Amino acid sequence: YWKFGLSPEFGFYLIFIYFLIVISFVDLSTRLIYNRLLIYLFLFGIGYNLIFRILPWQEVFLGILAGGGSLFSFALLGEFLFKKESMGMGDVKLAAVLGLFLGWKLVLFALFVGFFFALLVGLYLMVPSRQGAPVYLPMAPFLTLGSIFFLYWGPSIIHWYWHLFVPMD
């Protein structure tokens, strides 16, 4: 409400955040991201966007490709480098759904922030073992954190970042 007021965007992103919270807690406790939750969220996002046109369809389509495609690439790279699964496909599907709600620019930054926080937590958890033992980190909470962060402050951050490198007169 603070960001969108009583508007169609408020309902769109309220349901989005509620789903992300549930998905995060499920991932923390079970290490799974259930397809059923992702399908419901995906269908809600498509249907709501059909009615209220929250994001342009090109932005939605590119967001799905950017979110899901980038995490799928990371999953393949991790499997190639570590010779084992390094990221679940639930994370990939979640990233695609995040792209539906955020669009391609915000989802890429949200994924970056999510991975950054996951890296910090992963390094912190590995220090006590002193052996660098592999640490399982459920990614949904970090992707949720990055998504909510960029949902609220993303456009301002992108504008600021862009003007660092491309001065406008």
Side-chain angles (χ1 to χ4, degrees):
Y1 180 79
W2 170 61
K3 171 129 175 119
F4 300 107
L6 282 177
S7 66
E9 289 86 2
F10 173 70
F12 187 68
Y13 291 117
L14 180 70
I15 299 299
F16 173 60
I17 290 171
Y18 282 161
F19 263 91
L20 290 182
I21 291 168
V22 170
I23 289 168
S24 295
F25 278 105
V26 168
D27 193 22
L28 280 169
S29 64
T30 66
R31 296 183 174 187
L32 295 170
I33 298 175
Y34 293 123
N35 286 337
R36 180 174 292 160
L37 290 171
L38 293 174
I39 289 169
Y40 288 147
L41 184 57
F42 184 83
L43 291 175
F44 165 78
I46 294 291
Y48 201 95
N49 204 41
L50 272 172
I51 296 168
F52 293 106
R53 303 284 295 183
I54 305 297
L55 292 172
W57 286 106
Q58 181 181 9
E59 189 75 17
V60 168
F61 181 71
L62 290 175
I64 292 169
L65 288 178
S70 60
L71 252 59
F72 185 68
S73 299
F74 284 132
L76 291 177
L77 180 64
E79 193 168 328
F80 174 76
L81 292 175
F82 304 120
K83 308 294 185 228
K84 65 179 183 175
E85 184 181 48
S86 61
M87 179 177 295
M89 286 298 115
D91 298 318
V92 173
K93 292 179 268 188
L94 175 59
V97 173
L98 295 176
L100 183 154
F101 282 86
L102 298 175
W104 73 271
K105 291 177 200 164
L106 292 185
V107 78
L108 291 176
F109 281 107
L111 294 176
F112 175 78
V113 168
F115 274 99
F116 178 75
F117 284 122
L119 174 68
L120 293 178
V121 170
L123 291 174
Y124 173 78
L125 293 175
M126 286 175 31
V127 168
S129 70
R130 299 197 199 314
Q131 298 166 354
V135 174
Y136 169 77
L137 283 178
M139 285 303 296
F142 298 106
L143 298 178
T144 294
L145 179 65
S147 297
I148 293 172
F149 181 82
F150 269 91
L151 177 62
Y152 284 99
W153 298 287
S156 300
I157 292 170
I158 290 172
H159 179 76
W160 168 81
Y161 184 78
W162 183 254
H163 288 319
L164 279 178
F165 299 104
V166 182
M168 300 287 171
D169 292 329

